[in-house]
Amino acid sequence: MSAGRKPGVVIVGGGHAGGRVAERLRHGGFVGPIDVAGAETELPYERPPLSKGVLTSPSVPANAYLLPSARWHEIGVRFHLGVEAVGIDRQEKTVALSNGASLSYRKLVLATGLSPRRIRPLEPIAARTFYLRSFSDALALRSRIVPGARLVLVGAGLIGLEVAASAVKLGAAVTVLEAAERPLGRLLPRYLSQWLAELHERAGVRILCGRQVISSEALDASARLYLDDGSRFEADLILVGIGGTPNDRIAGEAGLHIDNGVVVNEFGQTSDPDIFAAGDIAAHENHLFGGRWRLESWKNAEDQGAAVASYLCGNPAPYSEVPWFWTDQYDLNVQVAGVPGTGAPAYERGKPGDRAYLAYFTAGDRLIGAVGIGCGRDIRIARETIKAGGKLDNAELVRTGFTCLGGAFERQAS
């Protein structure tokens, strides 16, 4: 910290959540110093384009950045890029950086995100194994996805399936390995997982569920993978997308409460009242659904970052949002709000595969989840309804084209 410069807000993590905290602090009227320290050399950007537009475009999409470089300068946010925070001194209120410098803070925000989970059996072919968490990761992967390349994706989650859709468009031969029994099993009901798998298979993607890599070996110009079912096959490159672990080491070493991430209250405040956390590392109490949640999503980074900034600006607003996820695969946009569960919906309009499909999931007569394909406006309304604890009007839904499939309303519709 330069001489004469009073401590302000220090943000550790220059990704989406950290960048949104900085931007919203200025938007909310905060006039003190704002310092952002980030391990990457890029200014804050959104990560969803990494598995889509960054892979399929000849250049990095400009709209991936939260703000243009000049705008950050205008609002007076100072960045320290390419450096990591290596320690927090809560008594002195300083953050030590990997370049030997330190930053003094009045309030500290941790937004350090995730590190991708790695697979030990792939260590012998590390030169051909990729992970997707940054622009540099995406650019390195993009240079290798060429027509005819044999790409293996380990993990049929959002990243794996989005990259599969992008890679097959580029002419790669794509195989997806998933340890669970179906793709996106934690996000989609079974029938929608099956529909999505069939969509990929029609596009030429091979999906193998219930399979795991147990060993690998490097060949002269490729790699060979051995699976737990005894099968083996060759690949030119491998992408691992099996989620991540929160980067909460320095928080734990500083004595903050850690439980699958940095534990925060409804305002993003940690066990130290002067330290906050936002985004992928923050484990918060969700008063809508109960329990402690740590959400790895664009929406959580966006909203939780804004909530922390609002609190620091003296306008506290409890953060307890409806989970919302979206994915673009091929020419379809799929959105999930709330907690649909694993079973069939209570109401359905259309069928999976239609250009516009919408399903509602209930607990009793209360809406708790919704899934839509090409129905962004409907999902937004569903999120608002779920947050308000709203109930569904059976007669109105049937009148507007929904079919009652069961659940609490089956008896009413009979």
Coordinates of all heavy atoms in Angstrom, one line a residue, residues 16-83:
H16 N -15.2 -13.4 -11.8 CA -16.5 -12.8 -11.9 C -17.0 -12.2 -10.6 O -17.4 -11.0 -10.5 CB -17.5 -13.8 -12.5 CG -18.9 -13.2 -12.8 ND1 -19.8 -13.9 -13.6 CD2 -19.5 -12.1 -12.4 CE1 -20.9 -13.2 -13.7 NE2 -20.7 -12.1 -13.0
A17 N -17.0 -13.0 -9.6 CA -17.5 -12.5 -8.3 C -16.6 -11.4 -7.7 O -17.2 -10.3 -7.3 CB -17.5 -13.7 -7.2
G18 N -15.3 -11.5 -7.8 CA -14.5 -10.4 -7.3 C -14.6 -9.1 -8.1 O -14.7 -8.0 -7.5
G19 N -14.7 -9.3 -9.4 CA -14.9 -8.1 -10.3 C -16.3 -7.4 -10.0 O -16.4 -6.2 -10.0
R20 N -17.3 -8.2 -9.8 CA -18.6 -7.7 -9.5 C -18.6 -6.9 -8.2 O -19.3 -5.9 -8.1 CB -19.7 -8.8 -9.6 CG -21.1 -8.2 -9.5 CD -21.3 -7.3 -10.7 NE -21.5 -8.0 -12.0 CZ -21.3 -7.5 -13.2 NH1 -20.8 -6.2 -13.3 NH2 -21.4 -8.1 -14.3
V21 N -17.9 -7.5 -7.2 CA -17.9 -6.7 -5.9 C -17.3 -5.4 -6.1 O -17.8 -4.3 -5.7 CB -17.0 -7.5 -4.9 CG1 -16.8 -6.6 -3.6 CG2 -17.7 -8.8 -4.5
A22 N -16.1 -5.3 -6.9 CA -15.5 -4.0 -7.1 C -16.3 -3.0 -7.9 O -16.5 -1.9 -7.5 CB -14.2 -4.3 -7.9
E23 N -17.0 -3.5 -8.9 CA -17.8 -2.6 -9.7 C -19.0 -2.1 -8.9 O -19.4 -0.9 -9.0 CB -18.3 -3.4 -11.0 CG -19.1 -2.6 -12.0 CD -20.6 -2.7 -11.7 OE1 -21.0 -3.7 -11.2 OE2 -21.3 -1.7 -12.1
R24 N -19.6 -3.0 -8.2 CA -20.8 -2.6 -7.4 C -20.5 -1.7 -6.2 O -21.3 -0.9 -5.8 CB -21.6 -3.9 -6.9 CG -22.2 -4.6 -8.0 CD -23.4 -3.8 -8.6 NE -24.0 -4.6 -9.7 CZ -25.1 -4.1 -10.4 NH1 -25.6 -3.0 -10.1 NH2 -25.6 -4.8 -11.4
L25 N -19.3 -1.8 -5.7 CA -18.9 -0.9 -4.6 C -18.9 0.5 -5.1 O -19.4 1.4 -4.5 CB -17.5 -1.3 -4.1 CG -17.3 -2.4 -3.2 CD1 -15.9 -2.8 -3.0 CD2 -18.0 -2.1 -1.8
R26 N -18.3 0.7 -6.3 CA -18.4 2.1 -6.9 C -19.8 2.5 -7.3 O -20.2 3.6 -7.0 CB -17.5 2.1 -8.1 CG -16.0 2.1 -7.8 CD -15.6 3.4 -7.1 NE -14.1 3.5 -6.9 CZ -13.5 3.5 -5.8 NH1 -14.2 3.5 -4.6 NH2 -12.2 3.6 -5.7
H27 N -20.5 1.6 -7.8 CA -21.9 1.8 -8.2 C -22.7 2.2 -7.0 O -23.6 3.1 -7.0 CB -22.5 0.6 -8.9 CG -23.9 0.8 -9.3 ND1 -24.3 1.5 -10.5 CD2 -25.1 0.4 -8.8 CE1 -25.6 1.5 -10.6 NE2 -26.1 0.8 -9.6
G28 N -22.4 1.6 -5.8 CA -23.1 1.9 -4.6 C -22.6 3.1 -3.8 O -23.1 3.4 -2.7
G29 N -21.6 3.8 -4.3 CA -21.2 5.0 -3.7 C -19.9 4.9 -2.8 O -19.5 5.9 -2.2
F30 N -19.3 3.8 -2.8 CA -18.1 3.6 -2.0 C -17.0 4.4 -2.6 O -16.7 4.4 -3.8 CB -17.6 2.1 -1.9 CG -16.4 1.9 -1.1 CD1 -16.5 1.8 0.3 CD2 -15.2 1.7 -1.7 CE1 -15.4 1.6 1.0 CE2 -14.0 1.5 -1.0 CZ -14.1 1.4 0.4
V31 N -16.3 5.3 -1.8 CA -15.3 6.2 -2.3 C -13.9 5.9 -1.9 O -12.9 6.6 -2.4 CB -15.6 7.7 -1.9 CG1 -17.0 8.1 -2.5 CG2 -15.6 7.8 -0.4
G32 N -13.7 4.9 -1.1 CA -12.3 4.5 -0.6 C -11.6 3.7 -1.7 O -12.1 3.4 -2.7
P33 N -10.3 3.4 -1.4 CA -9.5 2.6 -2.3 C -10.1 1.2 -2.5 O -10.6 0.6 -1.5 CB -8.1 2.5 -1.6 CG -8.1 3.6 -0.6 CD -9.5 3.8 -0.2
I34 N -10.0 0.7 -3.7 CA -10.4 -0.7 -4.0 C -9.2 -1.4 -4.7 O -8.8 -0.9 -5.8 CB -11.6 -0.8 -4.9 CG1 -12.8 -0.1 -4.2 CG2 -12.0 -2.2 -5.2 CD1 -14.0 0.0 -5.1
D35 N -8.7 -2.4 -4.1 CA -7.6 -3.2 -4.7 C -8.1 -4.6 -5.0 O -8.7 -5.2 -4.1 CB -6.4 -3.2 -3.8 CG -5.7 -1.9 -3.7 OD1 -6.1 -1.1 -2.9 OD2 -4.7 -1.7 -4.5
V36 N -7.8 -5.1 -6.2 CA -8.1 -6.5 -6.6 C -6.8 -7.2 -6.9 O -6.1 -6.8 -7.8 CB -9.1 -6.5 -7.8 CG1 -9.4 -7.9 -8.2 CG2 -10.3 -5.7 -7.5
A37 N -6.6 -8.3 -6.2 CA -5.4 -9.2 -6.5 C -5.9 -10.5 -7.1 O -6.8 -11.1 -6.5 CB -4.7 -9.5 -5.2
G38 N -5.4 -10.8 -8.3 CA -5.8 -12.0 -8.9 C -4.7 -12.8 -9.5 O -3.7 -12.2 -10.0
A39 N -4.8 -14.1 -9.5 CA -3.7 -15.0 -10.0 C -3.6 -14.9 -11.5 O -2.6 -15.1 -12.1 CB -3.9 -16.4 -9.5
E40 N -4.7 -14.7 -12.2 CA -4.7 -14.6 -13.6 C -4.2 -13.2 -14.1 O -4.2 -12.3 -13.3 CB -6.1 -14.9 -14.2 CG -6.6 -16.3 -14.0 CD -7.9 -16.5 -14.8 OE1 -8.0 -16.3 -16.0 OE2 -8.9 -16.9 -14.1
T41 N -3.8 -13.1 -15.3 CA -3.4 -11.9 -15.9 C -4.5 -11.1 -16.6 O -4.2 -10.0 -17.1 CB -2.2 -12.1 -16.9 OG1 -2.6 -13.0 -17.9 CG2 -1.0 -12.7 -16.1
E42 N -5.7 -11.7 -16.7 CA -6.8 -11.1 -17.3 C -7.6 -10.2 -16.3 O -7.7 -10.6 -15.2 CB -7.7 -12.1 -18.0 CG -7.1 -13.0 -19.0 CD -7.0 -12.2 -20.4 OE1 -7.6 -11.2 -20.5 OE2 -6.3 -12.8 -21.3
L43 N -8.2 -9.2 -16.8 CA -9.2 -8.4 -16.1 C -10.4 -9.3 -15.9 O -10.6 -10.3 -16.6 CB -9.6 -7.1 -16.8 CG -8.5 -6.1 -16.8 CD1 -8.8 -4.9 -17.8 CD2 -8.2 -5.5 -15.4
P44 N -11.3 -9.0 -14.9 CA -12.4 -9.9 -14.6 C -13.3 -10.2 -15.8 O -13.6 -9.3 -16.6 CB -13.2 -9.1 -13.6 CG -12.2 -8.2 -12.9 CD -11.2 -7.8 -13.9
Y45 N -13.6 -11.4 -15.9 CA -14.5 -11.9 -17.1 C -15.4 -13.0 -16.6 O -15.3 -13.5 -15.5 CB -13.6 -12.4 -18.2 CG -12.7 -13.6 -17.9 CD1 -13.2 -14.9 -18.0 CD2 -11.4 -13.4 -17.4 CE1 -12.3 -16.0 -17.6 CE2 -10.6 -14.4 -17.1 CZ -11.1 -15.7 -17.2 OH -10.3 -16.8 -16.9
E46 N -16.4 -13.2 -17.5 CA -17.4 -14.3 -17.2 C -16.9 -15.6 -17.8 O -16.3 -15.6 -18.9 CB -18.7 -13.9 -17.8 CG -19.3 -12.6 -17.2 CD -20.6 -12.2 -17.8 OE1 -21.1 -12.9 -18.8 OE2 -21.3 -11.3 -17.4
R47 N -17.1 -16.7 -17.1 CA -16.6 -18.0 -17.5 C -17.4 -18.8 -18.4 O -16.9 -19.7 -19.1 CB -16.2 -18.8 -16.3 CG -15.2 -18.2 -15.4 CD -14.6 -19.1 -14.3 NE -13.7 -18.4 -13.4 CZ -12.5 -18.1 -13.7 NH1 -11.9 -18.6 -14.8 NH2 -11.7 -17.4 -12.8
P48 N -18.8 -18.6 -18.5 CA -19.6 -19.4 -19.4 C -19.1 -19.4 -20.9 O -19.2 -20.5 -21.5 CB -21.0 -18.8 -19.3 CG -21.0 -18.3 -17.9 CD -19.7 -17.8 -17.6
P49 N -18.5 -18.3 -21.4 CA -18.1 -18.4 -22.8 C -16.9 -19.4 -23.0 O -16.6 -19.7 -24.2 CB -17.7 -17.0 -23.1 CG -18.5 -16.1 -22.2 CD -18.5 -16.9 -20.9
L50 N -16.2 -19.8 -22.0 CA -15.0 -20.6 -22.2 C -15.3 -21.9 -22.9 O -14.5 -22.3 -23.7 CB -14.3 -20.9 -20.8 CG -13.8 -19.7 -20.0 CD1 -13.2 -20.1 -18.7 CD2 -12.9 -18.8 -20.8
S51 N -16.4 -22.5 -22.6 CA -16.7 -23.8 -23.1 C -17.5 -23.7 -24.4 O -17.9 -24.7 -25.0 CB -17.5 -24.6 -22.1 OG -18.7 -24.0 -21.7
K52 N -17.8 -22.5 -24.8 CA -18.6 -22.2 -26.0 C -18.0 -21.3 -27.0 O -17.2 -21.7 -27.9 CB -20.0 -21.7 -25.6 CG -20.8 -22.7 -24.7 CD -22.1 -22.2 -24.3 CE -22.1 -21.2 -23.2 NZ -21.6 -21.8 -21.9
G53 N -18.2 -20.0 -26.8 CA -17.7 -19.0 -27.8 C -16.2 -18.9 -27.9 O -15.7 -18.8 -29.0
V54 N -15.5 -19.1 -26.8 CA -14.0 -19.0 -26.8 C -13.5 -20.2 -27.6 O -12.4 -20.1 -28.3 CB -13.4 -19.0 -25.4 CG1 -11.9 -19.0 -25.5 CG2 -13.9 -17.7 -24.7
L55 N -14.1 -21.3 -27.5 CA -13.6 -22.5 -28.3 C -14.0 -22.5 -29.7 O -13.2 -23.0 -30.6 CB -14.3 -23.8 -27.7 CG -13.8 -24.2 -26.3 CD1 -14.4 -25.6 -25.9 CD2 -12.3 -24.4 -26.3
T56 N -15.0 -21.8 -30.1 CA -15.5 -21.9 -31.5 C -15.2 -20.6 -32.3 O -15.4 -20.6 -33.5 CB -17.0 -22.2 -31.5 OG1 -17.7 -21.2 -30.8 CG2 -17.3 -23.5 -31.0
S57 N -14.7 -19.5 -31.6 CA -14.5 -18.3 -32.2 C -13.0 -18.1 -32.4 O -12.2 -18.6 -31.7 CB -15.0 -17.1 -31.4 OG -16.4 -17.2 -31.2
P58 N -12.6 -17.3 -33.5 CA -11.2 -17.1 -33.7 C -10.5 -16.1 -32.7 O -9.3 -16.0 -32.7 CB -11.1 -16.5 -35.1 CG -12.5 -15.9 -35.3 CD -13.4 -16.8 -34.6
S59 N -11.3 -15.4 -31.9 CA -10.8 -14.5 -31.0 C -11.6 -14.5 -29.7 O -12.8 -15.0 -29.7 CB -10.8 -13.1 -31.5 OG -12.1 -12.6 -31.8
V60 N -11.1 -14.0 -28.6 CA -11.8 -14.0 -27.3 C -13.0 -13.0 -27.5 O -12.8 -11.9 -27.8 CB -10.9 -13.6 -26.2 CG1 -11.7 -13.4 -24.9 CG2 -9.8 -14.6 -26.0
P61 N -14.2 -13.4 -27.2 CA -15.4 -12.5 -27.3 C -15.2 -11.3 -26.3 O -15.0 -11.5 -25.1 CB -16.6 -13.4 -26.8 CG -16.1 -14.8 -27.0 CD -14.6 -14.8 -26.7
A62 N -15.3 -10.1 -26.9 CA -15.1 -8.9 -26.1 C -16.2 -8.8 -24.9 O -15.9 -8.3 -23.9 CB -15.2 -7.7 -26.9
N63 N -17.4 -9.3 -25.2 CA -18.4 -9.2 -24.2 C -18.3 -10.2 -23.0 O -19.1 -10.2 -22.1 CB -19.8 -9.4 -24.8 CG -20.0 -10.8 -25.4 OD1 -19.1 -11.6 -25.4 ND2 -21.2 -11.0 -26.0
A64 N -17.2 -11.0 -23.0 CA -16.9 -11.9 -21.9 C -16.4 -11.1 -20.7 O -16.5 -11.5 -19.6 CB -15.9 -12.9 -22.3
Y65 N -15.8 -9.9 -21.0 CA -15.2 -9.1 -19.9 C -16.3 -8.3 -19.2 O -17.3 -7.8 -19.8 CB -14.2 -8.1 -20.4 CG -12.9 -8.8 -20.9 CD1 -12.8 -9.1 -22.2 CD2 -11.9 -9.1 -20.0 CE1 -11.6 -9.7 -22.7 CE2 -10.8 -9.7 -20.4 CZ -10.6 -10.0 -21.8 OH -9.5 -10.6 -22.2
L66 N -16.2 -8.2 -17.8 CA -17.2 -7.5 -17.1 C -17.3 -6.1 -17.4 O -18.4 -5.5 -17.6 CB -17.0 -7.7 -15.6 CG -17.7 -8.8 -14.8 CD1 -17.3 -10.1 -15.4 CD2 -17.5 -8.7 -13.3
L67 N -16.1 -5.4 -17.6 CA -16.0 -4.0 -18.0 C -14.8 -3.8 -18.9 O -13.8 -4.6 -18.7 CB -15.8 -3.1 -16.7 CG -17.0 -3.0 -15.7 CD1 -16.6 -2.1 -14.6 CD2 -18.2 -2.4 -16.4
P68 N -14.8 -2.9 -19.8 CA -13.6 -2.6 -20.5 C -12.5 -2.1 -19.6 O -12.8 -1.5 -18.6 CB -14.1 -1.5 -21.5 CG -15.6 -1.5 -21.5 CD -16.0 -2.0 -20.2
S69 N -11.3 -2.2 -20.1 CA -10.1 -1.8 -19.3 C -10.2 -0.3 -18.9 O -10.0 0.1 -17.7 CB -8.8 -2.0 -20.0 OG -7.7 -1.6 -19.3
A70 N -10.6 0.5 -19.8 CA -10.7 2.0 -19.5 C -11.7 2.3 -18.5 O -11.5 3.2 -17.7 CB -11.0 2.7 -20.8
R71 N -12.8 1.5 -18.4 CA -13.8 1.8 -17.4 C -13.3 1.5 -16.0 O -13.6 2.2 -15.1 CB -15.1 1.0 -17.7 CG -16.2 1.2 -16.8 CD -16.6 2.6 -16.7 NE -17.7 2.9 -15.8 CZ -18.0 4.0 -15.2 NH1 -17.2 5.1 -15.4 NH2 -19.0 4.1 -14.3
W72 N -12.5 0.4 -15.9 CA -12.0 0.1 -14.5 C -11.1 1.3 -14.1 O -11.1 1.6 -12.9 CB -11.1 -1.2 -14.6 CG -11.9 -2.4 -14.7 CD1 -11.9 -3.3 -15.7 CD2 -12.8 -3.0 -13.7 NE1 -12.8 -4.4 -15.4 CE2 -13.3 -4.2 -14.2 CE3 -13.3 -2.5 -12.5 CZ2 -14.2 -5.0 -13.5 CZ3 -14.2 -3.3 -11.8 CH2 -14.7 -4.5 -12.3
H73 N -10.3 1.8 -15.0 CA -9.5 3.0 -14.7 C -10.3 4.2 -14.2 O -10.0 4.9 -13.3 CB -8.6 3.3 -15.8 CG -7.7 4.5 -15.6 ND1 -6.5 4.4 -14.8 CD2 -7.7 5.8 -16.0 CE1 -6.0 5.6 -14.7 NE2 -6.6 6.4 -15.5
E74 N -11.4 4.4 -15.0 CA -12.3 5.5 -14.7 C -12.9 5.5 -13.3 O -13.0 6.5 -12.6 CB -13.4 5.6 -15.7 CG -13.0 6.1 -17.1 CD -14.1 5.9 -18.1 OE1 -15.2 5.6 -17.6 OE2 -13.9 6.2 -19.3
I75 N -13.2 4.3 -12.8 CA -13.9 4.1 -11.5 C -12.8 3.9 -10.4 O -13.2 3.7 -9.2 CB -15.0 3.1 -11.5 CG1 -14.4 1.7 -11.7 CG2 -16.0 3.4 -12.5 CD1 -15.4 0.5 -11.6
G76 N -11.6 3.9 -10.7 CA -10.5 3.9 -9.7 C -10.3 2.6 -9.0 O -10.1 2.5 -7.8
V77 N -10.4 1.5 -9.7 CA -10.1 0.2 -9.2 C -8.7 -0.2 -9.6 O -8.4 -0.2 -10.8 CB -11.1 -0.9 -9.7 CG1 -10.7 -2.3 -9.1 CG2 -12.5 -0.6 -9.2
R78 N -7.9 -0.6 -8.6 CA -6.5 -0.9 -8.9 C -6.3 -2.4 -8.9 O -6.7 -3.1 -7.9 CB -5.6 -0.3 -7.8 CG -4.1 -0.4 -8.2 CD -3.2 0.5 -7.3 NE -3.2 -0.1 -5.9 CZ -2.2 0.3 -5.1 NH1 -1.2 1.1 -5.4 NH2 -2.2 -0.2 -3.8
F79 N -5.8 -2.9 -9.9 CA -5.6 -4.4 -10.1 C -4.1 -4.8 -9.9 O -3.2 -4.1 -10.3 CB -6.0 -4.8 -11.5 CG -7.5 -4.9 -11.7 CD1 -8.2 -3.8 -12.2 CD2 -8.2 -6.0 -11.3 CE1 -9.5 -3.8 -12.3 CE2 -9.6 -6.0 -11.5 CZ -10.3 -4.9 -12.0
H80 N -4.0 -5.9 -9.2 CA -2.7 -6.6 -9.0 C -2.8 -7.9 -9.7 O -3.2 -8.9 -9.0 CB -2.3 -6.6 -7.6 CG -2.5 -5.4 -6.8 ND1 -1.4 -4.5 -6.5 CD2 -3.6 -4.8 -6.3 CE1 -1.9 -3.4 -5.9 NE2 -3.2 -3.6 -5.7
L81 N -2.5 -8.1 -10.9 CA -2.7 -9.3 -11.7 C -1.5 -10.2 -11.8 O -0.4 -9.7 -11.7 CB -3.3 -9.0 -13.1 CG -4.6 -8.1 -13.1 CD1 -4.9 -7.8 -14.6 CD2 -5.7 -8.9 -12.4
G82 N -1.7 -11.5 -11.9 CA -0.7 -12.4 -12.0 C 0.0 -12.7 -10.7 O 1.1 -13.2 -10.6
V83 N -0.7 -12.3 -9.6 CA -0.1 -12.6 -8.2 C -1.2 -13.3 -7.4 O -2.4 -13.0 -7.5 CB 0.4 -11.3 -7.5 CG1 1.5 -10.7 -8.3 CG2 -0.8 -10.3 -7.4

